[in-house]
Amino acid sequence: MKKIKYFIALSTLFVAFSCEDYLDTDNIYGKSLETFYSTPTDINEAMAGVYNAMYTTNVYSNESVAANLMSDMMLGGGGPDDAGAKWVDNFQDPAEDTYRDLWVQSYNGIARANAIIEKAADADFSSFFSSPEEAQQFKDQAIGEAHFMRAFYYFRLAKFFGGVPLIVAINDPKDVARATYSETFAQIASDLKSAIETMPETPFPSIATSQIGHANKWVAEAYMGRVFLFYTGYMTNMNNTPTSDLPLVDGGSLSSADVAAYLEDVINNSGHALASDFRNLWPYSYVNIAAGETVLPWAAEEGLSWVGQDGTTPTFGTGNFETMFAQRFSFGDWGWNNGNIYTNRLSLFSSIRGQSLVPFGEGWGWMTVNPRLWSNWDDSDPRKAGSILEVGNPAQGTEGWAPPGNQDHGTGLYNKKYTALQFPDETGAVKGMFVQLYGWGNADMQLMHAQDFIFMRFADVLLMHSEITGTAEGMNAVRARAGLDPVGYSLEALKEERLHEFAFEGLRWFDLVRWGDVEAAFNYTLNVNNSGTAATYQVNYRPETKGLVPIPETEMRLSNGIYEQNPGW
């Protein structure tokens, strides 16, 4: 029940802390900037609020959903009424505020991180620990973690919107203009550097289960690699200003050698490692074990067994050394305020539309898989069947599937990594796997997805190291895990490896952008099924947008002319 308790705490905690504007007024609960942040409990509660900003009410502002819809691996899908999914997929924004929750929640997270960075620096926690060293370690972790999370939110903003207003102190003015792209990334890199230099070097296997989901030094080092590749790639390939360094706020910069050294520290010292089988990273590998019988014949034949999602000693699974940073999900309830946002809506929205099968349950059928990905992917790569769910296949438990009458962009292929999983309980009633594992009372198909969304895996550290250094060792380690022969390094080989390793993990769109491959990626037409009618599908990507989405119109109006809209919007 650990995850359930964790999310109840998240969902109830921030009534008092969700609005920074009111923190300096009289507070009947005794919480204010002057009195808070003085105990470890205060810091832990405040940090939970920082992470709480990951969750967005508007599903189009959910990073994993938006990034997958915009990628070339997935189509809009859904039903005839799901216009929003098709707009995002086709780079349209008639609703004006499609991404406003992403903007607002990111700045909520930044404001909360700012408060921890400033207030924890002056706090004395020594009376709460048995030694000054323990107190200092707690303080270092809190400040470093807040720096990381501030970088995380600014990076999220920059990937979608480009340069954004920089507010890095409690009392900074809130009506500042957008910073440049380089200024924004200098802040991101500087925060990551501070996080790396501040947080303790605790090996991952020694991190307590209660801290799984929190950032640490290794996560910050891994993100430095991702930020470096995105910034240098975007500036070179999308902005036509070639650069090989990542700027810092103080005027310095980080070179490829500097960033490679960070990744090598993760590889050599973090304690993270690849799972023995790629497919064991995904919960479908546990459904037979959870059900107590074979409901997914393919998984039984392949001897799959989930590593779990609670670190090296999980509640369920064999132990996960690969996942480095994830957005934690549990269950919500309709009686809560936006309680459904604490379930993994990527799993809900990308699951099979209109049919509830065993072990793959019903969803909304968004983000149907591009058949070009399926047909161009070699069958000998186990990641193909490990990533894509093919309907009408008895080995996959989908032999009962029939084309639904209200599925648009139908391809017969769905996301297998993040999908609804279910099986009959002891009474014969079919319920979600996670609902049964955690004993959750509400079995609503919209609320049953407690699978974490993985932001960073150790496999990405290996592939980023190969890309930055131009060497094949990391790339071939990932290939070897998939049973594939080694290859010499080339950027094209690296691109294909990332496509197959990280399908549907929210990375493909940003890879296309930083490589300058977006226009070429959408140069095709597909035959699809739109609610029973044969149709064609083609994406209208507009290069003038430079891979960015629009600043929300509400924010444009509130800025009173201070913000400039992104090109093409």
Side-chain angles (χ1 to χ4, degrees), residues 502-526:
F502 300 123
F504 322 133
E505 295 183 46
L507 299 179
R508 174 65 175 176
W509 164 246
F510 301 114
D511 281 348
L512 291 175
V513 170
R514 67 183 178 87
W515 289 327
D517 289 346
V518 181
E519 289 185 70
F522 293 109
N523 186 25
Y524 61 85
T525 300
L526 293 175

Side-chain angles (χ1 to χ4, degrees), residues 260-450:
Y262 286 132
L263 298 180
E264 287 158 12
D265 191 31
V266 178
I267 293 167
N268 297 325
N269 300 312
S270 70
H272 281 288
L274 294 175
S276 60
D277 190 317
F278 165 89
R279 298 167 297 182
N280 287 340
L281 289 164
W282 314 108
Y284 58 68
S285 61
Y286 197 71
V287 69
N288 291 329
I289 298 168
E293 61 177 323
T294 298
V295 293
L296 182 55
W298 166 79
E301 293 165 4
E302 297 294 320
L304 303 185
S305 183
W306 190 36
V307 295
Q309 56 187 18
D310 296 323
T312 59
T313 55
T315 307
F316 307 103
T318 60
N320 188 336
F321 288 79
E322 182 163 348
T323 296
M324 297 184 67
F325 190 59
Q327 182 172 3
R328 308 229 69 188
F329 286 104
S330 185
F331 307 99
D333 220 326
W334 296 119
W336 302 356
N337 183 27
N338 297 320
N340 64 312
I341 71 174
Y342 298 108
T343 68
N344 190 332
R345 287 180 292 172
L346 176 61
S347 297
L348 168 64
F349 279 82
S350 65
S351 290
I352 298 172
R353 184 175 181 86
Q355 293 173 63
S356 181
L357 306 175
V358 173
F360 296 104
E362 182 180 3
W364 300 138
W366 291 17
M367 297 168 275
T368 49
V369 174
N370 191 327
R372 287 163 51 94
L373 177 63
W374 176 265
S375 61
N376 292 332
W377 199 336
D378 196 316
D379 290 342
S380 65
D381 187 341
R383 295 173 298 186
K384 178 179 180 179
S387 302
I388 301 175
L389 177 61
E390 181 186 23
V391 298
N393 185 337
Q396 299 295 339
T398 59
E399 68 272 21
W401 179 85
N406 62 348
Q407 170 75 76
D408 285 354
H409 298 164
T411 64
L413 302 168
Y414 293 90
N415 179 1
K416 197 177 196 174
K417 291 179 176 178
Y418 293 98
T419 191
L421 293 168
Q422 59 185 18
F423 53 82
D425 66 10
E426 64 277 3
T427 70
V430 175
K431 295 181 179 178
M433 182 178 82
F434 286 103
V435 168
Q436 297 193 59
L437 289 176
Y438 287 103
W440 188 246
N442 192 335
D444 189 321
M445 53 82 74
Q446 298 183 72
L447 303 173
M448 70 182 201
H449 308 286

Side-chain angles (χ1 to χ4, degrees), residues 222-265:
Y223 262 84
M224 190 70 89
R226 184 172 288 176
V227 167
F228 174 87
L229 285 169
F230 192 83
Y231 174 77
T232 56
Y234 189 95
M235 292 297 286
T236 300
N237 298 313
M238 297 294 279
N239 206 50
N240 297 317
T241 52
T243 183
S244 58
D245 292 333
L246 178 62
L248 297 170
V249 170
D250 63 7
S253 63
L254 296 173
S255 67
S256 60
D258 295 326
V259 177
Y262 286 132
L263 298 180
E264 287 158 12
D265 191 31

